[in-house]
Amino acid sequence: VQLQAFGGGLVQAGGSLRLSCAASGRTFSWYARGWFRQAPGKERDFVAAISWSGSTTYYADSVKGRFTISRDNAKNTVYLQMNSLKPEDTAVYYCAASSTWPPTIDDIDYWGKGTQVTVSS
């Protein structure tokens, strides 16, 4: 079972990036999917989550109105569209899957490898 995140990179403040997280080894259609991030020297924090059906989403206050999470169960993939990026969004972003809703960091069943997002000022 593997979750693999893609799409990180370097972007200027105000720019956009789209992260993808593809799952393999099993179907995650019945799992909540989410994104967390970890900045240097800080703890891993919740960013966004989406229910198994995609009908419900949940965001950290710091990204509301700027980030959008979505999923395509046919592709076993979850996305994070990040707009109006700020330097404080710089972190390693991790995708995750959980059988709990809404998922907290303690409820994650599967973690993906991270992808670096760097926002320059």
Side-chain angles (χ1 to χ4, degrees), residues 31-32 36 96-111:
Y31 279 76
F36 292 74
S98 174
S99 55
T100 300
W101 180 263
T104 69
I105 197 167
D106 296 324
D107 299 320
I108 300 304
D109 298 300
Y110 300 94
W111 286 104

Side-chain angles (χ1 to χ4, degrees), residues 12-117:
Q12 287 188 331
S16 298
L17 281 175
R18 188 192 195 208
L19 305 184
S20 301
C21 178
S24 60
R26 67 164 296 156
T27 180
F28 285 92
S29 298
W30 306 109
Y31 279 76
R33 303 286 295 276
W35 293 92
F36 292 74
R37 66 186 181 186
Q38 188 167 17
K42 296 188 177 181
E43 295 183 346
R44 191 173 299 189
D45 291 328
F46 170 78
V47 175
I50 187 166
S51 62
W52 69 270
S53 66
S55 62
T56 305
T57 56
Y58 181 50
Y59 296 94
D61 288 342
S62 59
V63 306
K64 280 181 183 176
R66 300 189 297 122
F67 291 12
T68 302
I69 189 171
S70 60
R71 66 189 295 165
D72 184 337
N73 286 340
K75 296 182 179 180
N76 226 5
T77 299
V78 64
Y79 307 95
L80 186 68
Q81 178 66 43
M82 304 186 294
N83 298 330
S84 302
L85 282 161
K86 303 175 181 180
E88 51 263 45
D89 294 318
T90 295
V92 177
Y93 283 71
Y94 297 88
C95 60
S98 174
S99 55
T100 300
W101 180 263
T104 69
I105 197 167
D106 296 324
D107 299 320
I108 300 304
D109 298 300
Y110 300 94
W111 286 104
K113 293 182 179 179
T115 185
Q116 176 70 46
V117 172

